[in-house]
Amino acid sequence: MKRLTLLACACAALLATACGGDAGYRTIDGTIVFDEPARAAGQRSVLQLAVDPIPVVRTGFIGLGMRGPGAVERFTHIEGARVAALCDLRPECVEAAQRILGRRGLPRVPGYDGEEGWKALCERDDIDLVYICTPWQNHVEMAVYAMRQGKHVAVEVPAATSLEECWQLVDVAEQTQRHCMMLENCVYDFFELTTLRMAQAGLFGEILHAEGAYIHNLEPFWDYYQGNWRLDFNRTHAGDVYATHGLGPACQLLGIHRGDRMTRLVAMATPSVNGRRLAAEKMGADSFANADQTTTLIGTERGRTILLQHNVYTPRPYDRKYQLVGTDGYANKYPVEGYAFRPAQVADALPDHERLDEHAFIPEAAKEALMARYKHPIVRDIEAKAREVGGHGGMDFIMDYRLVYCLRHGLPLDQDVYDAAEWSCIGALTAASLAHGSMPVAVPDFTRGDWRKVDGYRHAMHTE
């Protein structure tokens, strides 16, 4: 009995470490179930939150190292957006961002640097939106502080790194009734947006399964992360710590927390070989928690499935997977873009649909015609400018454009705080599964039951 008690204590300690301190859990019918705090009195849901229109969205940017400068540049091209303040740990990064404004013929703005400069930025009364591009470990502290100062928040991926942080984002957004949007850009890729519209039109029939991934060998890029923060984070965290690029598009296809929700997951992982070698070479570390390859299977309330992969260590072509399996059709983005349908599904869109073979991708000419017909209205409106301004081929610009568009017109944002929590919690949950020999783990319901109130994912659009 004493041996079993010691083993249980050891497992609990391992789980707490893997999940960033989230140790409040039970095992029910062989599934790890984490505690879900009740919504506090006076706290209101922010599902479909809409606030008063903001004619000019005055934005303060925190973090001007890797992602921040591109965001500043993009905002100078968006109607109704104004760069209002800049902040970075290093003053030279603030000055470099000021030069971006100068090249665009815009005046200098207040700048902040140092360890506490971001707080002063959040406290300004001439800022509507705080845009956070710092290392992951700072996201929640900064987002929470900004919301409590009355600001809306846009925060880079992942928005949080533990279950405790995910709940903190949800609770503070509900308490303050402020927007908290995670800056997941891959949902705005042209193929993903077009496929989503096809799915909404019923071309794939009932969607049964989706796949996503972040497969990107980062070996040439590790040294660009200030203070080696990203490799150091992976050194101490198991699981799929960067799930959102693959998961976000899948969740929109399935209407997660909009008529369905993720309920449980199981994770498996390989040994860390390349990751451990990198940590030894760059940090003198003799251990590495993050596996070279992590694979996760997720189930939903409606019985559908999602498959995720994470691998940033081995030589492989860049791959986000993006697959959709429906009762009447199929979509695939990597390594080859293509669609397959029952011919009757596209009879109205393709005149020679009788020649299609549902066992193979439709011909390229048919694919182009179909994508032109189902081009998403957002892409139709902004595609040329998005490709000109750029940012991952234009999807970064569409992301920022939509954020500003929704705030200017008083519309619900394309991603809400529940998306931020659901997509970010995968890191902690997969770590828990791995720590217990790939035991199933329940996915918390961050909406606290409100996922049933909306039927399907839709982009809000302004009508005159």
Side-chain angles (χ1 to χ4, degrees), residues 149-357:
Q149 301 302 312
K151 309 302 190 290
H152 302 293
V153 170
V155 59
E156 270 291 355
V157 297
T161 61
S162 70
L163 289 178
E164 179 184 9
E165 286 189 340
C166 289
W167 281 112
Q168 194 176 1
L169 284 180
V170 168
D171 286 339
V172 174
E174 292 185 348
Q175 291 160 11
T176 61
Q177 294 292 292
R178 297 291 87 185
H179 288 298
C180 180
M181 172 176 153
M182 184 167 63
L183 294 163
E184 179 41 66
N185 57 356
C186 294
V187 298
Y188 295 100
D189 197 1
F190 300 105
F191 187 84
E192 276 86 329
L193 281 170
T194 300
T195 304
L196 177 63
R197 190 168 186 231
M198 290 181 188
Q200 291 167 342
L203 265 65
F204 301 101
E206 182 181 351
I207 300 174
L208 302 173
H209 175 77
E211 298 190 12
Y214 188 69
I215 296 169
H216 186 193
N217 182 16
L218 294 179
E219 193 157 349
F221 306 104
W222 293 116
D223 291 340
Y224 290 95
Y225 294 94
Q226 190 265 335
N228 198 37
W229 67 262
R230 185 165 180 176
L231 187 63
D232 188 51
F233 183 92
N234 289 8
R235 180 181 63 83
T236 56
H237 288 77
D240 188 339
V241 296
Y242 202 68
T244 74
H245 286 335
L247 183 59
C251 286
Q252 289 189 351
L253 288 169
L254 296 173
I256 295 302
H257 85 246
R258 301 165 179 90
D260 199 1
R261 76 177 191 91
M262 297 182 287
T263 57
R264 64 205 180 282
L265 64 75
V266 170
M268 293 189 180
T270 70
S272 174
V273 179
N274 285 358
R276 184 168 182 166
R277 172 184 56 78
L278 284 166
E281 292 173 358
K282 295 180 178 298
M283 308 162 66
D286 58 4
S287 63
F288 198 80
N290 203 247
D292 281 4
Q293 171 101 13
T294 301
T295 303
T296 305
L297 184 62
I298 304 171
T300 78
E301 184 74 28
R302 292 174 54 184
R304 300 175 302 176
T305 54
I306 303 170
L307 182 67
L308 297 179
Q309 293 185 40
H310 174 265
N311 182 335
V312 295
Y313 307 104
T314 69
R316 291 178 63 178
Y318 179 88
D319 192 348
R320 297 200 306 270
K321 294 298 179 193
Y322 191 74
Q323 294 182 10
L324 179 163
V325 177
T327 55
D328 297 308
Y330 172 79
N332 184 85
K333 181 173 174 64
Y334 293 94
V336 178
E337 284 188 7
Y339 298 107
F341 298 100
R342 296 186 192 277
Q345 290 299 106
V346 290
D348 293 337
L350 299 176
D352 58 348
H353 65 277
E354 297 89 351
R355 300 181 184 180
L356 299 183
D357 178 358

